[in-house]
Amino acid sequence: MTQSEQIPPSDETPASEPAVNHRTEGHSRRVFLFKLSLLINGAVGVVLGIPIIGYLLGPAIKKGAGDKSWINLGPLNTFPVGETRLVNFRNPVTTSWDGQTGDIPCWVRRVSDDKFQVFAINCAHLGCPVRWFAQSRLFMCPCHGGAYYADGARASGPPERGLFEYDHKIAEDALMIHVGRMPTLASQASNTPPLTQLEVNGSAAKLANVEQPKPRCSSCPT
């Protein structure tokens, strides 16, 4: 073919372009959207799971942190000798959103310069808060009429024992109490002697020496 016989530009056949594979493109889009949904669901699961895990593990974590908690109730000069005062302290295992429910009251009695008693405010009967009446020198429970002496011992009413006491100590001219565990009968059982003790020496000789009343017979001669 000579130069004059060359095909005009308008008659040239354009080079073939690669065909678009619409099936592959749709498959890639579905894979991308699937991975994106997995990522979003995973992020939502993490956000929702953190509070749940904290709620489930919180008691164990707080218990371990609170077992060694000592709270400062204030300097010694704020507690006059011979007086009983109500003091509030912050529960060490509370959170910021607990508000006033994290404040716990207790009764502090100063017996002498270096002797204190710190009572739980709860009645030993059913847990109602007791009040201190300085005129009668008694703690009174408004729920069921329980009464306690100034030293926390039971005076009258339904309670079967005295008020529960916190462990306390004096450190750096301040009164400290241990609040890792609330004072209960179980926690103080080792320090409180049992109400009744029976001694058995292998025989009932001691019981036999006790004179028992004899039944009276109306027909028997006197």
Side-chain angles (χ1 to χ4, degrees):
M1 180 181 294
T2 61
Q3 186 176 2
S4 60
E5 296 178 351
Q6 292 180 355
I7 300 175
S10 59
D11 296 337
E12 293 181 356
T13 303
S16 60
E17 298 179 357
V20 179
N21 193 337
H22 296 284
R23 183 176 181 180
T24 303
E25 183 180 357
H27 177 72
S28 300
R29 185 181 296 108
R30 286 194 298 271
V31 172
F32 171 76
L33 293 177
F34 176 73
K35 292 182 178 180
L36 180 61
S37 64
L38 289 180
L39 180 62
I40 296 175
N41 290 335
V44 173
V46 170
V47 172
L48 296 179
I50 291 176
I52 297 176
I53 295 175
Y55 174 79
L56 296 177
L57 300 181
I61 297 175
K62 291 178 179 180
K63 181 179 180 181
D67 283 344
K68 301 180 180 180
S69 298
W70 286 87
I71 296 295
N72 188 341
L73 292 184
L76 298 182
N77 56 16
T78 58
F79 305 105
V81 176
E83 291 190 12
T84 300
R85 292 190 172 184
L86 183 66
V87 180
N88 291 322
F89 64 88
R90 188 70 178 176
N91 192 337
V93 297
T94 55
T95 55
S96 57
W97 54 79
D98 288 329
Q100 292 185 351
T101 59
D103 295 332
I104 301 178
C106 63
W107 291 105
V108 178
R109 175 181 181 238
R110 187 168 187 176
V111 183
S112 61
D113 290 340
D114 56 353
K115 184 177 179 180
F116 289 83
Q117 286 184 290
V118 183
F119 303 110
I121 196 173
N122 308 97
C123 178
H125 178 220
L126 293 178
C128 294
V130 299
R131 296 180 58 187
W132 168 249
F133 292 87
Q135 293 83 359
S136 58
R137 306 216 32 101
L138 289 173
F139 291 100
M140 301 291 293
C141 176
C143 295
H144 305 99
Y148 306 86
Y149 295 114
D151 61 353
R154 174 187 177 275
S156 64
E160 298 181 356
R161 53 150 294 137
L163 293 174
F164 297 108
E165 294 188 42
Y166 287 96
D167 293 333
H168 64 278
K169 65 181 181 180
I170 297 176
E172 298 181 356
D173 200 34
L175 180 62
M176 311 284 293
I177 64 170
H178 185 248
V179 296
R181 294 180 301 172
M182 291 296 293
T184 60
L185 185 59
S187 64
Q188 297 181 2
S190 59
N191 299 326
T192 304
L195 298 179
T196 304
Q197 294 182 349
L198 296 178
E199 294 183 1
V200 179
N201 296 326
S203 64
K206 291 186 177 181
L207 296 178
N209 293 332
V210 179
E211 183 178 357
Q212 300 293 333
K214 298 180 180 180
R216 301 183 65 178
C217 179
S218 60
S219 61
C220 298
T222 57

